[in-house]
Amino acid sequence: MNAGTSQRVELAIGGMTCASCAARVERKLNKVDGVSATVNYATEKAQVDFPAAVSVDDLVGVVESAGYTAEPPQPDEDAEQADGLRIRLVVSAALAVPVIVLAMVPAWQFTYWQWVSLALAAPVVTWGAWPFHRPAWTNFRHGAATMDTLISLGVAAATLWSLYALLFGTAGTPGMRHGFELTMERGSGAGNLYLEVAAGVTTFLLAGRYFEARSKRRSGAALRALLELGAKDVAVLEGGVESRVPIGDLKVGDEFVVRPGEKIATDGVVIDGGSAVDLSMLTGEALPVEVTAGDVVVGGTVDVGGRLVVRATRIGADTRLAQMARLVEDAQNGKARVQRLADRVSAVFVPVVIALAVGTLGFWLGAGSGADAAFTAAVAVLIIACPCALGLATPTALLVGTGRGAQLGILIKGPEVLESTREVDTVVLDKTGTVTAGKMSLTDLYGADETDVLRLAAAVEHASEHPIARAIVEAAQERLGDLPPVERFRNVEGLGVLGEVEGKTVLAGRTSLLEQHGITLGEEFSQAKTAAEERGATAVVVAWDGEARGVVVVADTVKPTSKQAVKELRALGLRPVLLTGDNTGSAKAVAAEVGIDEVVAEVLPADKVEVVKRLQAEGRVVAMVGDGVNDAAALAQADLGLSMGTGTDAAIEAGDLTLVRGDLRAAVDAIRLSRRTLATIKGNLFWAFAYNVAALPLAALGLLNPMIAGAAMAFSSVFVVTNSLRLRRFARAA
C-alpha cells in the first residue's frame, strides 16, 4: 500500500460465482466517497484506491455487506477451491450415474429402486450442490438473482417434489415404474420422481464450475514465476571473505560475488571483474552484453562469462524484476472482465422464470384444478428452466476443443480467453524466440579457406563459455567433427580470445583485438563485417600468423516456418507487428525476411506494455505472441496472450494460450481453434436457452408430462455434447 493521500490495497474477494457478482461488488465499493475500485472476476481480486479517511476495514465491511468476503490474497486459496470442487465433482458423479441409469432404464427398476435413488441422490443435491445453494441464499438475502439462484431453485424443486411424491404420493409404492407415456396432458405429479434431474444437473454444473476454477487457479502463477526467477541466496563479500546468506538479508550497499552460470542476486553496479551477462529475460535480446567495472547489472539476469563483484543498489520491491511483476499484475487487473452469455441473460431470465412459476401456481389454483395439478405445473416450470444443457454448453465444448488443441500443441487456459479471439485484428509478435530461434547460430563464413577459418576459430573458442563461442563451436563440430586442441588459451575481456592451435597463434574476436596485435582487417573483410552488423548479426574476425584470415558471422536466425505463419495470420485478417527489445537494424532485417511492415524495436518490458496499450487506444483488438519474461506484462495486457511453450514459465503463465510446439504456425491454429470453440459454445448456449424458452409455455400450461420433460432435457444435453464433439475434426491449416 502506498503512503500519501491516496492509498491502494488488493483484496481477495470470496463468494463470487459469476461476472454479475463482480459487478455488484465493484458498484458497492465505488459508492464510497473517494474510492475507485476494479473487481476482476477471473482473478477474484479487487484493486482499490481509497483516501486516508477510509480504512481497509471499512472496505472489507462494504464487501461483506454485499454478501461476499474480502481479505488480503492468500497464495493457496485458488488451489484449495479447485481441489474442493474436484472432490465434490468426483463424489457427485459416482452417486449420480446410478440414479440417472435407474430412472432412464425401466428394465433395471427393481423393487424399491426409488428409495435407493433417493439415498444416492441426497448427498449430491445437498453437499454436492452446496456451491450453488450458498451463493443463491446470499444473493436472495441481498435482493439479487443469478444463475445460481435458478440452479438452486431447480435442484431444490426437483428434490422436494420427489420427496413429496415418495412420502405422500404414489411414487413410494413397491414395484413403482417410470413409464414412457409420451402424452401431453394436465394432471397430478404425485407419482413422478425428478431425482435424476436434480442429481444430473448438479453433477454437470459442478463439472463446469470445476474447470472454471482450475483455469482461475493459474491467474496468479505469472507473478510467482517472475518472482521465482530471482536468486534465493547470495555470496556477500565482507573484508575479503565470502559468506552465503539468504537474499532477504542483502542490504543496499552490500558487495556480493557472482560466478559464471549464477544469477545476479539484485540490481547493482559492477565494481570488479568483467563478464558477459545474458539479459534476454529483461530485453529479449539474444546476444549477451559485455559488462566491466562501472556498468549497471540487473537482478535475475545470468552471468555467462567471468567472475563479478557487484555493489547492490536496489533490493526487494525496488528491483527491476519486482517492477516487472507489478507490470504483469497491473495488466491482469486491468483486463476487461468477461461476462458469459449465461450470466448476462440471468439478470432477466431468472426473475422471469420465478415469476412464471408463481403465476402458474396461482392460475391453476384459481382455475380450480386442485393443489396437486397446480403444484405439478409450477414445479415443472422450475425444473424445465433449470439449465442442464447450459451446464454442459461451455465445459463440453471447452473439453473437446482443449483436447484437440493439446494434440496440435495448443493449450487453452479457459473459456474466458476465447471471447476476444473473434475480434482480434492486430497480432504483435515478439522477435527473439518467437519469430526467430532465440539462439545464436552460424550464418556466414568469409575467407580464402573457409574450412580453416571455421576450424581454427572454433578450436580457440572451444575453451570459452560465451554464447557466440558456443555457436561457432557447435557449427564446426557439426560440419567438421573433432576440433584440434588449443594451448596457451587466453580470454581478453570484452574483446575476444586467443591461443595456439597446430603451432599457429590464432585470434578470434573484435577488430580491436587484432589491432592490439598490429593486425589490420583489410577492405574485403571490413565490408563483410559491416554488412553483417547492419543486418543485426555479430561478426567475429579471425587471424593467425599475424594476418587477418576471415570473418565468422553468427546471428539469431529466423525459424523456417515464420514467413508462412505471418502469411497465414494475414489471411485470418490480422495485421502483424514486430515488437522487440533488440536493435532496429536486426529487427528490420527479420521483419523484411518474414513479410512484416510494422516494426517497433529497442523497447524495454514497460515499453512493450505501452505499445500494446497504444494499439488498444487506437481501437485495435490486440493479440500478443511472446516467449520471454520481458514479454509477460505485455502478454497479460493484450486482449489475447499467446505464449510459446519453449519460452519461460513467466511468459507461459501470463499468456491465455500456450503454443507447445514453439512454431509460430501454432499461433494461427490457436486462433482458428479458439474461434471455432467459441462459436461452438455460443451455439450450445443458444440451443440450450431455446430449449428452455420453448418448453416453458408447455410447462406453464400443465402439459409437460415428466417423461416428455426428461426426454426433452436429455435431447438438449445430447445435442450440446454432439455439437461439441464436432471440434474433434478440427485440423491444422494446410
Side-chain angles (χ1 to χ4, degrees), residues 225 413 626-629 631-632 635 643-644 647-655 658:
K413 289 191 175 179
D627 76 321
V629 175
D631 302 317
L635 286 167
S643 55
M644 306 296 279
T648 63
D649 290 343
I652 291 170
E653 295 297 351
T658 299

Side-chain angles (χ1 to χ4, degrees), residues 228-234 244 256-266 298-303:
E228 285 170 3
L229 286 172
K232 303 299 184 288
D233 54 25
V234 57
R244 212 78 188 171
F256 59 92
V257 177
V258 187
R259 290 182 171 78
E262 290 184 342
K263 291 177 181 177
I264 297 173
T266 193
V298 178
T301 56
V302 180
D303 178 358

Side-chain angles (χ1 to χ4, degrees), residues 83-320:
D83 290 343
L85 282 169
R86 181 171 57 83
I87 293 170
R88 287 183 195 270
L89 172 60
V90 171
V91 173
S92 296
L95 295 174
V97 167
V99 174
I100 296 170
V101 170
L102 284 173
M104 300 297 289
V105 184
W108 292 0
Q109 292 171 0
F110 52 85
T111 306
Y112 299 119
W113 69 272
Q114 65 271 48
W115 296 100
V116 173
S117 291
L118 176 63
L120 292 172
V124 180
V125 300
T126 52
W127 174 77
W130 187 244
F132 308 110
H133 296 320
R134 181 178 55 195
W137 174 247
T138 299
N139 290 323
F140 172 74
R141 288 191 294 116
H142 294 89
T146 65
M147 289 305 292
D148 285 315
T149 307
L150 194 54
I151 294 166
S152 181
L153 278 175
V155 170
T159 304
L160 292 175
W161 188 258
S162 298
L163 280 173
Y164 168 80
L166 284 169
L167 298 175
F168 304 106
T170 60
T173 57
M176 175 266 189
R177 295 286 186 273
H178 259 175
F180 282 93
E181 298 176 4
L182 299 179
T183 58
M184 298 176 64
E185 57 182 12
R186 288 188 292 275
S188 170
N192 300 322
L193 296 180
Y194 295 91
L195 291 172
E196 77 283 3
V197 174
V201 165
T202 298
T203 303
F204 289 141
L205 296 178
L206 273 176
R209 189 67 56 84
Y210 165 67
F211 290 116
E212 183 180 45
R214 191 177 65 170
S215 171
K216 289 194 293 185
R217 178 178 180 174
R218 299 190 180 103
S219 62
L223 304 181
R224 292 194 295 273
L226 272 174
L227 296 175
E228 285 170 3
L229 286 172
K232 303 299 184 288
D233 54 25
V234 57
V236 175
L237 191 63
E238 289 185 283
V241 179
E242 292 183 31
S243 57
R244 212 78 188 171
V245 300
I247 190 65
D249 294 343
L250 190 66
K251 300 183 292 295
V252 172
D254 284 351
E255 296 178 5
F256 59 92
V257 177
V258 187
R259 290 182 171 78
E262 290 184 342
K263 291 177 181 177
I264 297 173
T266 193
D267 297 1
V269 176
V270 177
I271 60 174
D272 187 37
S275 180
V277 177
D278 182 357
L279 299 178
S280 59
M281 60 81 68
L282 182 69
T283 66
E285 200 166 340
L287 184 65
V289 174
E290 303 287 345
V291 296
T292 57
D295 290 333
V296 174
V297 290
V298 178
T301 56
V302 180
D303 178 358
V304 296
R307 178 181 182 272
L308 296 174
V309 179
V310 181
R311 179 182 292 115
T313 56
R314 290 188 291 191
I315 60 172
D318 296 326
T319 64
R320 289 287 291 278

Side-chain angles (χ1 to χ4, degrees), residues 225-226 229 280-281 284 409 411 430-439 559 625-632 635 642-655 657-663:
L226 272 174
L229 286 172
S280 59
M281 60 81 68
L411 303 182
D430 169 57
K431 181 181 78 69
T432 307
T434 302
V435 176
T436 66
K439 179 184 177 184
K559 293 179 181 178
V625 187
D627 76 321
V629 175
N630 59 302
D631 302 317
L635 286 167
L642 297 94
S643 55
M644 306 296 279
T646 51
T648 63
D649 290 343
I652 291 170
E653 295 297 351
L657 297 163
T658 299
L659 313 177
V660 177
R661 300 202 312 262
D663 181 344

Side-chain angles (χ1 to χ4, degrees), residues 417-429:
V417 310
L418 303 176
E419 295 206 6
S420 60
T421 60
R422 191 174 53 183
E423 305 298 330
V424 165
D425 54 28
T426 302
V427 57
V428 176
L429 304 173

